[in-house]
Amino acid sequence: MNAICNMIDRNRKGEPVGLPSFCTANAHVLQAILSHAAATGKLTVIEATCNQVNQEGGYTGMTPRDYMEWVRGMAADAGVPMTHLILGGDHLGPNPWKSRPAEEAMEKARELVRLYVEAGFTKIHLDASMPLGGEAPPSFETIAARAADLCVVAETHAPDPSALIYIVGTEVPIPGGETEEPDALDVTSVDRLQRTIDTHRAAWTERGLDAAWERIVSVVTQPGVDFGHSSVFVYDPEAAADLSQAILPSPGLTFEAHSTDYQPTASLAELVGSHFFFLKVGPELTFRFREAVWALADIEARLDPATPSRLREVVAKAMEDNPAYWSDYYRGTDLLQRIFSYSDRIRYYWAMPEVAKAVDQLIENLTQLDVPPTLVTQAFSGLEFGQVNTDPVALIDRHIGKCIKRYYSACSI
Protein backbone atom coordinates (compact mmCIF):
# COMPACT_ATOMS: atom_id res chain seq x y z
CA MET A 1 0.00 0.00 0.00
CA ASN A 2 2.74 2.46 0.95
CA ALA A 3 4.83 1.65 -2.13
CA ILE A 4 1.88 2.16 -4.47
CA CYS A 5 0.77 5.38 -2.77
CA ASN A 6 4.30 6.73 -3.07
CA MET A 7 4.41 5.89 -6.78
CA ILE A 8 0.97 7.40 -7.33
CA ASP A 9 2.05 10.60 -5.62
CA ARG A 10 5.05 10.77 -7.94
CA ASN A 11 2.81 10.17 -10.97
CA ARG A 12 0.37 12.91 -9.93
CA LYS A 13 3.31 15.32 -9.60
CA GLY A 14 4.27 14.66 -13.21
CA GLU A 15 6.81 11.85 -12.97
CA PRO A 16 6.00 9.24 -15.64
CA VAL A 17 5.94 6.26 -13.30
CA GLY A 18 3.28 3.53 -13.28
CA LEU A 19 2.67 -0.19 -12.85
CA PRO A 20 1.85 -2.90 -15.37
CA SER A 21 -1.00 -5.17 -14.32
CA PHE A 22 -0.75 -8.66 -15.82
CA CYS A 23 -4.18 -10.24 -16.10
CA THR A 24 -3.82 -13.93 -16.91
CA ALA A 25 -4.54 -17.49 -15.84
CA ASN A 26 -2.11 -19.11 -18.28
CA ALA A 27 0.52 -21.18 -16.48
CA HIS A 28 3.28 -20.52 -19.03
CA VAL A 29 2.59 -16.78 -19.00
CA LEU A 30 2.62 -16.71 -15.20
CA GLN A 31 5.92 -18.59 -15.21
CA ALA A 32 7.41 -15.95 -17.52
CA ILE A 33 6.07 -13.12 -15.34
CA LEU A 34 7.49 -14.72 -12.20
CA SER A 35 10.82 -15.40 -13.91
CA HIS A 36 11.02 -11.69 -14.70
CA ALA A 37 10.06 -10.82 -11.12
CA ALA A 38 12.75 -13.14 -9.75
CA ALA A 39 15.41 -11.67 -12.05
CA THR A 40 14.55 -8.01 -11.39
CA GLY A 41 13.00 -7.89 -7.91
CA LYS A 42 10.40 -5.44 -9.24
CA LEU A 43 6.93 -5.06 -7.75
CA THR A 44 4.61 -7.22 -9.86
CA VAL A 45 0.82 -7.03 -10.17
CA ILE A 46 -1.00 -10.20 -11.24
CA GLU A 47 -4.77 -10.25 -11.65
CA ALA A 48 -7.63 -12.66 -12.23
CA THR A 49 -11.00 -11.62 -13.63
CA CYS A 50 -14.48 -12.48 -12.40
CA ASN A 51 -15.02 -14.72 -15.43
CA GLN A 52 -11.69 -16.54 -15.09
CA VAL A 53 -11.87 -17.24 -11.37
CA ASN A 54 -14.97 -17.29 -9.17
CA GLN A 55 -16.85 -19.41 -6.63
CA GLU A 56 -18.17 -21.60 -9.45
CA GLY A 57 -14.71 -22.07 -10.95
CA GLY A 58 -15.02 -19.64 -13.86
CA TYR A 59 -13.58 -20.81 -17.14
CA THR A 60 -10.36 -21.89 -15.42
CA GLY A 61 -12.10 -24.17 -12.92
CA MET A 62 -10.45 -22.26 -10.09
CA THR A 63 -11.88 -20.49 -7.05
CA PRO A 64 -10.08 -17.39 -5.72
CA ARG A 65 -8.29 -19.49 -3.10
CA ASP A 66 -7.27 -22.04 -5.74
CA TYR A 67 -5.78 -19.27 -7.89
CA MET A 68 -3.99 -17.68 -4.94
CA GLU A 69 -2.44 -20.98 -3.85
CA TRP A 70 -1.46 -21.78 -7.44
CA VAL A 71 0.34 -18.45 -7.83
CA ARG A 72 1.87 -18.81 -4.36
CA GLY A 73 3.31 -22.20 -5.29
CA MET A 74 4.66 -20.94 -8.62
CA ALA A 75 6.19 -17.92 -6.90
CA ALA A 76 7.93 -20.17 -4.38
CA ASP A 77 9.32 -22.32 -7.21
CA ALA A 78 10.56 -19.18 -8.98
CA GLY A 79 12.10 -17.73 -5.82
CA VAL A 80 9.80 -14.71 -5.70
CA PRO A 81 8.70 -13.54 -2.23
CA MET A 82 4.96 -12.90 -1.99
CA THR A 83 5.85 -9.46 -0.61
CA HIS A 84 6.97 -8.59 -4.15
CA LEU A 85 3.57 -9.52 -5.60
CA ILE A 86 0.21 -7.77 -5.56
CA LEU A 87 -2.70 -10.06 -6.42
CA GLY A 88 -5.78 -8.35 -7.81
CA GLY A 89 -9.36 -9.16 -8.73
CA ASP A 90 -10.64 -7.50 -11.90
CA HIS A 91 -14.28 -6.56 -12.63
CA LEU A 92 -15.42 -8.04 -9.32
CA GLY A 93 -19.17 -7.77 -9.31
CA PRO A 94 -22.27 -9.43 -10.76
CA ASN A 95 -21.13 -9.76 -14.39
CA PRO A 96 -20.99 -13.60 -14.45
CA TRP A 97 -24.60 -13.67 -13.19
CA LYS A 98 -26.00 -10.59 -14.95
CA SER A 99 -28.87 -12.53 -16.55
CA ARG A 100 -30.29 -13.32 -13.09
CA PRO A 101 -32.57 -11.04 -11.04
CA ALA A 102 -30.70 -8.11 -9.54
CA GLU A 103 -30.66 -9.20 -5.90
CA GLU A 104 -29.68 -12.78 -6.79
CA ALA A 105 -26.84 -11.50 -8.99
CA MET A 106 -25.68 -9.10 -6.28
CA GLU A 107 -25.70 -11.86 -3.68
CA LYS A 108 -23.42 -13.87 -5.96
CA ALA A 109 -21.22 -10.78 -6.35
CA ARG A 110 -20.98 -10.35 -2.57
CA GLU A 111 -19.84 -13.95 -2.23
CA LEU A 112 -17.31 -13.38 -5.03
CA VAL A 113 -15.78 -10.34 -3.33
CA ARG A 114 -15.73 -12.09 0.05
CA LEU A 115 -13.84 -15.07 -1.37
CA TYR A 116 -11.30 -12.87 -3.17
CA VAL A 117 -10.40 -10.81 -0.10
CA GLU A 118 -10.42 -13.83 2.23
CA ALA A 119 -7.96 -15.53 -0.14
CA GLY A 120 -5.56 -12.59 0.15
CA PHE A 121 -6.23 -10.52 -2.98
CA THR A 122 -5.60 -6.87 -2.14
CA LYS A 123 -6.14 -4.90 -5.39
CA ILE A 124 -9.89 -4.90 -5.86
CA HIS A 125 -11.68 -3.51 -8.91
CA LEU A 126 -15.36 -3.13 -8.03
CA ASP A 127 -17.55 -3.25 -11.14
CA ALA A 128 -21.34 -3.19 -10.80
CA SER A 129 -22.00 -1.32 -14.04
CA MET A 130 -23.96 -3.92 -15.99
CA PRO A 131 -27.79 -4.23 -16.20
CA LEU A 132 -29.08 -7.17 -14.17
CA GLY A 133 -31.98 -9.45 -14.93
CA GLY A 134 -33.13 -7.52 -17.97
CA GLU A 135 -33.30 -4.14 -16.22
CA ALA A 136 -32.53 -0.86 -17.96
CA PRO A 137 -28.91 0.32 -17.92
CA PRO A 138 -28.27 1.40 -14.32
CA SER A 139 -27.72 5.02 -13.37
CA PHE A 140 -24.46 6.43 -11.98
CA GLU A 141 -26.10 6.37 -8.55
CA THR A 142 -27.17 2.73 -8.79
CA ILE A 143 -23.74 1.62 -10.02
CA ALA A 144 -22.07 3.49 -7.16
CA ALA A 145 -24.50 2.15 -4.54
CA ARG A 146 -23.91 -1.43 -5.69
CA ALA A 147 -20.14 -0.90 -5.69
CA ALA A 148 -20.33 0.49 -2.15
CA ASP A 149 -22.35 -2.58 -1.14
CA LEU A 150 -19.49 -4.76 -2.40
CA CYS A 151 -16.90 -2.57 -0.67
CA VAL A 152 -18.65 -3.20 2.67
CA VAL A 153 -18.20 -6.92 2.05
CA ALA A 154 -14.50 -6.47 1.28
CA GLU A 155 -13.89 -4.32 4.36
CA THR A 156 -15.77 -6.79 6.56
CA HIS A 157 -14.08 -9.98 5.42
CA ALA A 158 -10.51 -9.02 4.47
CA PRO A 159 -7.92 -10.30 6.99
CA ASP A 160 -6.45 -6.77 7.01
CA PRO A 161 -8.78 -4.19 5.41
CA SER A 162 -6.07 -1.53 5.60
CA ALA A 163 -4.06 -3.57 3.05
CA LEU A 164 -6.79 -3.28 0.42
CA ILE A 165 -6.67 -0.80 -2.44
CA TYR A 166 -9.67 -0.19 -4.66
CA ILE A 167 -10.30 0.62 -8.29
CA VAL A 168 -13.71 1.99 -9.33
CA GLY A 169 -15.23 2.97 -12.66
CA THR A 170 -16.05 0.82 -15.65
CA GLU A 171 -15.91 2.71 -18.96
CA VAL A 172 -14.08 -0.11 -20.71
CA PRO A 173 -14.97 -3.18 -22.82
CA ILE A 174 -16.78 -5.93 -20.93
CA PRO A 175 -14.66 -8.70 -19.38
CA GLY A 176 -13.45 -10.92 -22.21
CA GLY A 177 -13.11 -8.13 -24.77
CA GLU A 178 -15.07 -6.67 -27.66
CA THR A 179 -17.55 -8.94 -29.43
CA GLU A 180 -17.60 -6.70 -32.51
CA GLU A 181 -14.83 -4.90 -34.36
CA PRO A 182 -15.13 -1.33 -32.99
CA ASP A 183 -15.43 1.48 -35.52
CA ALA A 184 -14.48 4.33 -33.21
CA LEU A 185 -13.86 5.07 -29.55
CA ASP A 186 -15.15 7.89 -27.39
CA VAL A 187 -12.79 9.17 -24.73
CA THR A 188 -14.50 9.41 -21.35
CA SER A 189 -15.76 12.96 -20.87
CA VAL A 190 -14.70 15.08 -17.91
CA ASP A 191 -18.37 15.24 -16.87
CA ARG A 192 -18.70 11.43 -16.78
CA LEU A 193 -15.48 11.13 -14.82
CA GLN A 194 -16.68 13.68 -12.26
CA ARG A 195 -20.09 12.03 -11.95
CA THR A 196 -18.39 8.68 -11.37
CA ILE A 197 -16.23 10.14 -8.61
CA ASP A 198 -19.04 12.17 -7.01
CA THR A 199 -21.61 9.36 -6.96
CA HIS A 200 -19.10 6.87 -5.59
CA ARG A 201 -17.97 9.34 -2.92
CA ALA A 202 -21.58 9.89 -1.83
CA ALA A 203 -22.29 6.14 -1.77
CA TRP A 204 -19.15 5.47 0.29
CA THR A 205 -20.12 8.19 2.77
CA GLU A 206 -23.66 6.83 3.07
CA ARG A 207 -22.29 3.37 3.94
CA GLY A 208 -19.74 4.68 6.45
CA LEU A 209 -16.80 3.82 4.19
CA ASP A 210 -14.74 6.97 4.66
CA ALA A 211 -11.62 5.00 5.63
CA ALA A 212 -12.00 2.77 2.58
CA TRP A 213 -12.43 5.81 0.33
CA GLU A 214 -8.89 6.88 1.20
CA ARG A 215 -7.71 3.61 -0.34
CA ILE A 216 -9.35 4.15 -3.73
CA VAL A 217 -6.33 4.76 -5.92
CA SER A 218 -7.61 4.68 -9.50
CA VAL A 219 -10.67 5.24 -11.66
CA VAL A 220 -11.20 3.16 -14.80
CA THR A 221 -11.94 5.37 -17.79
CA GLN A 222 -11.64 5.08 -21.56
CA PRO A 223 -8.63 7.07 -22.82
CA GLY A 224 -9.28 6.00 -26.40
CA VAL A 225 -7.38 2.71 -26.51
CA ASP A 226 -8.73 -0.68 -27.49
CA PHE A 227 -8.25 -3.46 -30.01
CA GLY A 228 -10.51 -5.59 -32.14
CA HIS A 229 -9.86 -8.70 -34.16
CA SER A 230 -7.67 -7.03 -36.76
CA SER A 231 -7.06 -3.45 -35.60
CA VAL A 232 -5.63 -1.46 -32.69
CA PHE A 233 -6.75 1.99 -31.57
CA VAL A 234 -3.55 3.81 -30.67
CA TYR A 235 -3.56 6.35 -27.83
CA ASP A 236 -3.91 9.99 -28.82
CA PRO A 237 -2.72 12.19 -25.91
CA GLU A 238 -4.35 15.30 -27.36
CA ALA A 239 -7.78 13.66 -27.49
CA ALA A 240 -7.46 12.68 -23.80
CA ALA A 241 -5.78 15.90 -22.58
CA ASP A 242 -8.85 17.27 -20.75
CA LEU A 243 -9.56 13.89 -19.15
CA SER A 244 -5.93 13.53 -18.08
CA GLN A 245 -5.93 16.80 -16.16
CA ALA A 246 -9.39 16.31 -14.66
CA ILE A 247 -8.17 13.67 -12.19
CA LEU A 248 -5.74 15.99 -10.42
CA PRO A 249 -8.29 17.90 -8.26
CA SER A 250 -9.23 14.56 -6.63
CA PRO A 251 -6.52 13.81 -4.03
CA GLY A 252 -4.74 10.49 -4.34
CA LEU A 253 -6.47 9.38 -7.54
CA THR A 254 -5.05 8.27 -10.87
CA PHE A 255 -6.51 6.29 -13.76
CA GLU A 256 -6.43 2.61 -14.64
CA ALA A 257 -6.30 1.82 -18.37
CA HIS A 258 -7.78 -1.44 -19.62
CA SER A 259 -7.22 -3.11 -23.02
CA THR A 260 -3.81 -1.49 -23.50
CA ASP A 261 -2.58 -4.64 -25.27
CA TYR A 262 -0.69 -4.03 -28.55
CA GLN A 263 -0.23 -0.30 -27.96
CA PRO A 264 3.20 0.88 -29.15
CA THR A 265 5.60 1.16 -26.22
CA ALA A 266 5.80 4.93 -26.74
CA SER A 267 2.00 5.13 -26.46
CA LEU A 268 2.06 3.12 -23.23
CA ALA A 269 4.57 5.63 -21.86
CA GLU A 270 2.29 8.48 -22.95
CA LEU A 271 -0.58 6.86 -21.08
CA VAL A 272 1.50 6.73 -17.91
CA GLY A 273 2.44 10.37 -18.41
CA SER A 274 -1.28 11.16 -18.69
CA HIS A 275 -1.86 9.74 -15.18
CA PHE A 276 -2.96 6.28 -16.31
CA PHE A 277 -1.00 4.67 -13.51
CA PHE A 278 -2.10 1.04 -13.96
CA LEU A 279 -1.73 -0.45 -17.45
CA LYS A 280 -3.79 -3.63 -17.78
CA VAL A 281 -2.56 -6.26 -20.24
CA GLY A 282 -3.78 -9.80 -20.86
CA PRO A 283 -4.38 -11.03 -24.43
CA GLU A 284 -1.02 -9.69 -25.63
CA LEU A 285 0.70 -12.01 -23.16
CA THR A 286 -1.05 -15.12 -24.48
CA PHE A 287 -0.64 -13.82 -28.05
CA ARG A 288 3.13 -13.93 -27.45
CA PHE A 289 2.78 -17.39 -25.88
CA ARG A 290 0.95 -18.62 -29.00
CA GLU A 291 3.68 -17.14 -31.23
CA ALA A 292 6.31 -19.01 -29.20
CA VAL A 293 4.65 -22.43 -29.23
CA TRP A 294 3.79 -22.06 -32.93
CA ALA A 295 7.48 -21.39 -33.61
CA LEU A 296 8.44 -24.40 -31.49
CA ALA A 297 5.95 -26.52 -33.44
CA ASP A 298 7.74 -25.51 -36.65
CA ILE A 299 11.04 -26.66 -35.15
CA GLU A 300 9.47 -29.93 -33.99
CA ALA A 301 8.05 -30.63 -37.45
CA ARG A 302 11.53 -30.37 -39.00
CA LEU A 303 13.00 -32.79 -36.44
CA ASP A 304 10.20 -35.37 -36.91
CA PRO A 305 10.10 -36.92 -33.40
CA ALA A 306 8.71 -40.41 -32.81
CA THR A 307 5.70 -39.01 -30.93
CA PRO A 308 4.88 -35.64 -32.48
CA SER A 309 2.68 -33.26 -30.53
CA ARG A 310 0.56 -32.31 -33.56
CA LEU A 311 -0.16 -29.12 -31.60
CA ARG A 312 -1.69 -27.16 -34.46
CA GLU A 313 -4.07 -30.00 -35.33
CA VAL A 314 -5.06 -30.48 -31.69
CA VAL A 315 -5.79 -26.78 -31.20
CA ALA A 316 -7.78 -26.55 -34.44
CA LYS A 317 -9.91 -29.53 -33.41
CA ALA A 318 -10.47 -28.17 -29.89
CA MET A 319 -11.68 -24.86 -31.31
CA GLU A 320 -13.92 -26.62 -33.82
CA ASP A 321 -15.39 -28.98 -31.22
CA ASN A 322 -15.86 -26.23 -28.62
CA PRO A 323 -16.79 -23.04 -30.50
CA ALA A 324 -18.35 -21.19 -27.54
CA TYR A 325 -15.25 -19.06 -26.88
CA TRP A 326 -15.04 -17.68 -30.43
CA SER A 327 -18.37 -18.15 -32.22
CA ASP A 328 -19.86 -14.89 -30.89
CA TYR A 329 -16.71 -13.01 -31.89
CA TYR A 330 -15.73 -14.29 -35.34
CA ARG A 331 -17.97 -14.71 -38.35
CA GLY A 332 -17.71 -17.78 -40.54
CA THR A 333 -14.89 -20.28 -40.28
CA ASP A 334 -11.91 -17.97 -40.75
CA LEU A 335 -8.96 -19.87 -39.24
CA LEU A 336 -6.79 -16.76 -39.55
CA GLN A 337 -9.04 -14.95 -37.08
CA ARG A 338 -9.36 -17.91 -34.76
CA ILE A 339 -5.61 -18.33 -34.47
CA PHE A 340 -4.01 -14.97 -35.24
CA SER A 341 -6.46 -12.21 -34.25
CA TYR A 342 -5.54 -9.52 -31.73
CA SER A 343 -8.56 -10.54 -29.65
CA ASP A 344 -6.74 -13.86 -29.11
CA ARG A 345 -9.79 -16.02 -28.44
CA ILE A 346 -7.44 -18.98 -28.73
CA ARG A 347 -6.29 -18.15 -25.18
CA TYR A 348 -9.35 -19.93 -23.77
CA TYR A 349 -8.20 -23.26 -25.18
CA TRP A 350 -4.67 -23.65 -23.77
CA ALA A 351 -5.92 -25.14 -20.49
CA MET A 352 -8.12 -27.77 -22.16
CA PRO A 353 -6.67 -31.20 -21.28
CA GLU A 354 -6.00 -32.30 -24.86
CA VAL A 355 -4.36 -28.97 -25.76
CA ALA A 356 -2.30 -28.81 -22.56
CA LYS A 357 -1.17 -32.40 -23.22
CA ALA A 358 -0.05 -31.44 -26.73
CA VAL A 359 1.91 -28.43 -25.41
CA ASP A 360 3.57 -30.68 -22.81
CA GLN A 361 4.44 -33.22 -25.53
CA LEU A 362 5.93 -30.46 -27.67
CA ILE A 363 8.11 -29.26 -24.79
CA GLU A 364 9.14 -32.83 -23.90
CA ASN A 365 10.10 -33.59 -27.50
CA LEU A 366 12.23 -30.47 -27.85
CA THR A 367 13.83 -31.05 -24.45
CA GLN A 368 14.91 -34.56 -25.37
CA LEU A 369 15.93 -33.93 -29.00
CA ASP A 370 19.22 -32.42 -30.09
CA VAL A 371 17.85 -29.12 -31.42
CA PRO A 372 20.28 -27.31 -33.77
CA PRO A 373 20.72 -23.67 -32.74
CA THR A 374 20.30 -22.71 -36.39
CA LEU A 375 16.69 -23.95 -36.27
CA VAL A 376 16.09 -21.86 -33.16
CA THR A 377 17.47 -18.70 -34.75
CA GLN A 378 15.25 -19.35 -37.77
CA ALA A 379 12.15 -19.39 -35.55
CA PHE A 380 13.11 -16.79 -32.90
CA SER A 381 14.64 -13.42 -33.75
CA GLY A 382 17.22 -11.44 -31.81
CA LEU A 383 19.28 -14.33 -30.46
CA GLU A 384 23.05 -13.91 -30.16
CA PHE A 385 24.99 -16.45 -32.23
CA GLY A 386 27.08 -18.75 -30.07
CA GLN A 387 24.82 -18.20 -27.05
CA VAL A 388 21.56 -19.72 -28.26
CA ASN A 389 19.58 -21.40 -25.49
CA THR A 390 17.64 -24.24 -27.12
CA ASP A 391 15.59 -25.06 -24.02
CA PRO A 392 11.92 -24.72 -25.11
CA VAL A 393 10.69 -23.35 -21.77
CA ALA A 394 13.42 -20.70 -21.77
CA LEU A 395 12.44 -19.74 -25.32
CA ILE A 396 8.78 -19.39 -24.32
CA ASP A 397 9.72 -17.28 -21.29
CA ARG A 398 11.97 -15.08 -23.41
CA HIS A 399 9.30 -14.47 -26.03
CA ILE A 400 6.57 -13.61 -23.52
CA GLY A 401 9.18 -11.44 -21.82
CA LYS A 402 9.09 -9.11 -24.84
CA CYS A 403 5.66 -7.99 -23.63
CA ILE A 404 6.59 -7.93 -19.94
CA LYS A 405 9.74 -5.88 -20.45
CA ARG A 406 8.17 -3.26 -22.66
CA TYR A 407 5.42 -2.62 -20.11
CA TYR A 408 7.98 -2.06 -17.38
CA SER A 409 9.95 0.15 -19.71
CA ALA A 410 6.83 2.25 -20.43
CA CYS A 411 6.17 2.51 -16.70
CA SER A 412 9.76 3.70 -16.01
CA ILE A 413 10.43 1.05 -13.36
Side-chain angles (χ1 to χ4, degrees), residues 355-371:
V355 177
K357 181 179 178 181
V359 173
D360 289 344
Q361 183 67 57
L362 173 67
I363 291 172
E364 180 181 346
N365 286 342
L366 295 180
T367 300
Q368 293 179 350
L369 291 167
D370 183 16
V371 179

Side-chain angles (χ1 to χ4, degrees), residues 95-116:
N95 187 69
W97 308 279
K98 62 187 176 185
S99 63
R100 303 188 187 185
E103 185 48 41
E104 182 183 344
M106 283 301 296
E107 188 56 37
K108 288 284 190 180
R110 294 181 194 107
E111 182 185 7
L112 176 72
V113 170
R114 175 180 65 81
L115 291 174
Y116 265 83

Side-chain angles (χ1 to χ4, degrees), residues 274-308:
S274 300
H275 308 302
F276 285 86
F277 178 80
F278 288 109
L279 301 182
K280 298 293 287 293
V281 56
E284 183 182 329
L285 292 160
T286 42
F287 188 98
R288 288 300 193 191
F289 169 69
R290 191 266 311 154
E291 286 182 329
V293 295
W294 244 234
L296 292 175
D298 287 342
I299 294 173
E300 180 196 42
R302 291 183 179 277
L303 296 175
D304 194 23
T307 309

Side-chain angles (χ1 to χ4, degrees), residues 53-59 61-64 96-97 100 108 111 115:
V53 174
N54 59 47
Q55 59 265 44
E56 297 168 3
Y59 69 74
M62 286 187 282
T63 66
W97 308 279
R100 303 188 187 185
K108 288 284 190 180
E111 182 185 7
L115 291 174

Side-chain angles (χ1 to χ4, degrees), residues 11 40 99 150 201 272 283 351:
N11 179 284
T40 64
S99 63
L150 299 177
R201 185 70 181 94
V272 174

Side-chain angles (χ1 to χ4, degrees), residues 95-161:
N95 187 69
W97 308 279
K98 62 187 176 185
S99 63
R100 303 188 187 185
E103 185 48 41
E104 182 183 344
M106 283 301 296
E107 188 56 37
K108 288 284 190 180
R110 294 181 194 107
E111 182 185 7
L112 176 72
V113 170
R114 175 180 65 81
L115 291 174
Y116 265 83
V117 298
E118 286 181 344
F121 291 79
T122 55
K123 179 181 179 288
I124 307 297
H125 174 210
L126 299 173
D127 179 3
S129 62
M130 59 290 304
L132 304 177
E135 67 185 6
S139 65
F140 281 89
E141 289 77 13
T142 297
I143 292 170
R146 288 173 176 172
D149 182 348
L150 299 177
C151 186
V152 170
V153 174
E155 292 290 297
T156 301
H157 292 281
D160 178 10

Side-chain angles (χ1 to χ4, degrees), residues 181-185 224-228 231-235 259 261 263-264:
E181 189 82 12
D183 294 322
L185 297 178
V225 302
D226 199 0
F227 56 91
S231 60
V232 176
F233 288 85
V234 176
Y235 180 55
S259 299
D261 311 69
Q263 292 289 311

